Amino acid sequence: MRRAAVVLGSLEVFGPLSMDLSMPLLPQLAEDLGTSDSLAQASMSVCMLGLAFGQLVAGPLSDRLGRRRPLLWGIALFTLFSLLCALAPSIETLLVARFLQGLTGSAGVVVALAAARDVAVGVQLVRLLSMLALVGALAPVLAPVVGGQLAAVLDWRGLFVVLAGVGVVLLAVAGTLLPETLPAGLRHPGGFTEARRGFGTVLRDRLFVCYLLVGACTGTAFFTYLASVSFVLQEGFGLSPQAFGAVFAVNAVVAMLGALFNRAAVRRAGPARMYVVGTTATAVAALGLLGTVLAGLGLTALLVALGLVLFSYGVISPNSSALALGGHGERAGTAAALLGVSTFAVGPVVAPLAALGGRAEVTMAVTMAVAATVACALVWLAVRPRLRGAPAQPRRGGPEKDDAREHGTAAG
């Protein structure tokens, strides 16, 4: 289990690394390319959009071809497009290269989730995903610190060269340590028509659609934080790239602690109850962040409020994925792709628009608070009632008791 978490967690670093390594140098990027802060943030947004929509291709492909082939091709192309980002002569070229970088890197994100569902279910799956989140969270811990230190000797172009080097390392890890988790007899042959049918099958599950909507809201809150925090802390509060990297790393550790707490608590409370608690706590913390900003309580209070939001988000994520995938083990790649789109697609659109709204800390706090509150309302009004009444979903080739608990007997 731990080896699987380490290997699968390493595959989820595409998103955090693509965002966090270059984050300390976003202001420098904007100045160097003669563009606005909003367009500099958009370079993150288009990468995240690529990460989102690329999963719609990589997920069904992994259901059809197995997990390894789409993954290895995706990592190789991610490495190539990272080099193209380093050579971009203008913001327009960079935006295109960043989108392609995210598009190909999406294979790692979706295959990691689908492969986890291949080997585990129910509470066991939540615990695996919590471990995976801990391993994957090492990237956002290390990336801004490393990025901040590299900023002393490299410009933003050099950081993309570093990203390409990371791609080479991940290709070696996946190629040598990840076995095929989807046997040939469980794959779904067929082309576009079969993929479309698979999406339709998953989307007819109303509870799954509820998870998608909540994921879109929590993803918006989280991405708004990622896209705005460098401007808030560096331009608003005067932190250096190195100091920002250290602060961001502490926040990532707090999110790791949330995932670790969830892994310990989920055996007793169950995934459904932890999901409800985590979403509610995130909304309360985000509203606290908004109050802190509006009251002008300063940097320390702002960081404490952000830490509470991130801790709560660390509780949500593993339970959300496990609950949503629980009834769709036969199409785990397709279901994981839809989850990825809900998480990665909305936030990248909202965050740059929010950046146009005035003071960075105010627009960040307002957007995060609204998104987290809507997610909380959806959970209590739409998800929780369905969780309480959902029938047990038998897993492939195993007992039903884990899935019965998975679908919400602990939700009350």
Side-chain angles (χ1 to χ4, degrees):
M1 180 73 75
R2 292 183 178 179
R3 177 180 174 180
V6 171
V7 176
L8 296 177
S10 70
L11 299 179
E12 285 213 328
V13 304
F14 287 102
L17 279 179
S18 298
M19 300 302 102
D20 302 342
L21 191 65
S22 61
M23 191 183 299
L25 289 179
L26 277 181
Q28 183 198 96
L29 183 154
E31 181 179 359
D32 185 51
L33 293 180
T35 189
S36 65
D37 288 351
S38 182
L39 278 177
Q41 286 181 325
S43 70
M44 296 176 62
S45 296
V46 296
C47 183
M48 291 293 278
L49 287 173
L51 282 166
F53 293 110
Q55 293 182 62
L56 294 177
V57 177
L61 273 179
S62 74
D63 285 339
R64 178 185 178 189
L65 303 175
R67 309 304 183 201
R68 279 177 56 86
R69 288 167 61 188
L71 172 66
L72 297 179
W73 273 104
I75 299 174
L77 291 172
F78 170 87
T79 302
L80 173 63
F81 289 124
S82 295
L83 291 175
L84 291 179
C85 289
L87 299 174
S90 65
I91 187 62
E92 293 81 10
T93 304
L94 178 64
L95 291 176
V96 172
R98 286 284 271 166
F99 177 77
L100 294 173
Q101 182 193 45
L103 196 73
T104 51
S106 67
V109 179
V110 71
V111 167
L113 194 55
R117 180 58 182 86
D118 290 339
V119 301
V121 72
V123 173
Q124 185 185 22
L125 176 59
V126 177
R127 287 174 60 81
L128 174 58
L129 290 176
S130 295
M131 288 183 66
L132 192 152
L134 290 172
V135 175
L138 289 175
V141 170
L142 297 176
V145 176
V146 173
Q149 297 304 315
L150 289 176
V153 294
L154 296 174
D155 62 5
W156 63 270
R157 297 180 187 275
L159 293 186
F160 282 110
V161 176
V162 172
L163 271 179
V166 171
V168 173
V169 172
L170 290 176
L171 185 61
V173 169
T176 58
L177 298 180
L178 183 68
E180 180 57 67
T181 61
L182 185 65
L186 297 177
R187 298 175 191 175
H188 293 270
F192 175 78
T193 300
E194 177 62 26
R196 184 180 60 184
R197 186 180 296 114
F199 282 121
T201 299
V202 175
L203 289 173
R204 280 193 291 272
D205 180 351
R206 293 185 178 182
L207 182 56
F208 183 87
V209 172
C210 290
Y211 290 127
L212 294 185
L213 295 175
V214 174
C217 293
T218 56
T220 295
F222 186 66
F223 187 81
T224 298
Y225 160 75
L226 289 179
S228 303
V229 70
S230 63
F231 294 99
V232 170
L233 296 182
Q234 291 187 79
E235 296 186 353
F237 290 93
L239 269 64
S240 68
Q242 291 75 23
F244 165 74
V247 169
F248 192 83
V250 171
N251 286 346
V253 170
V254 171
M256 289 175 61
L257 292 176
L260 187 62
F261 169 77
N262 177 73
R263 186 171 187 271
V266 73
R267 278 192 183 276
R268 181 178 296 274
R273 180 174 291 162
M274 293 303 297
Y275 179 63
V276 173
V277 168
T279 310
T280 304
T282 301
V284 172
L287 290 171
L289 171 66
L290 177 58
T292 297
V293 168
L294 294 179
L297 298 183
L299 177 62
T300 301
L302 173 71
L303 294 178
V304 170
L306 278 174
L308 292 174
V309 174
L310 294 170
F311 182 91
S312 302
Y313 184 82
V315 174
I316 295 173
S317 184
N319 297 293
S320 174
S321 298
L323 289 167
L325 292 174
H328 298 285
E330 75 285 355
R331 292 187 183 273
T334 299
L338 290 169
L339 285 175
V341 170
S342 73
T343 302
F344 289 120
V346 179
V349 175
V350 173
L353 296 178
L356 300 174
R359 289 171 54 200
E361 65 270 25
V362 174
T363 56
M364 179 186 73
V366 168
T367 306
M368 291 177 67
V370 170
T373 301
V374 172
C376 181
L378 285 170
V379 166
W380 281 92
L381 298 177
V383 177
R384 189 169 177 268
R386 288 181 168 86
L387 279 172
R388 292 172 63 89
Q393 300 273 353
R395 63 174 173 172
R396 249 179 354 212
E400 297 182 8
K401 60 181 180 181
D402 280 342
D403 283 315
R405 189 177 187 190
E406 176 184 347
H407 275 81
T409 56

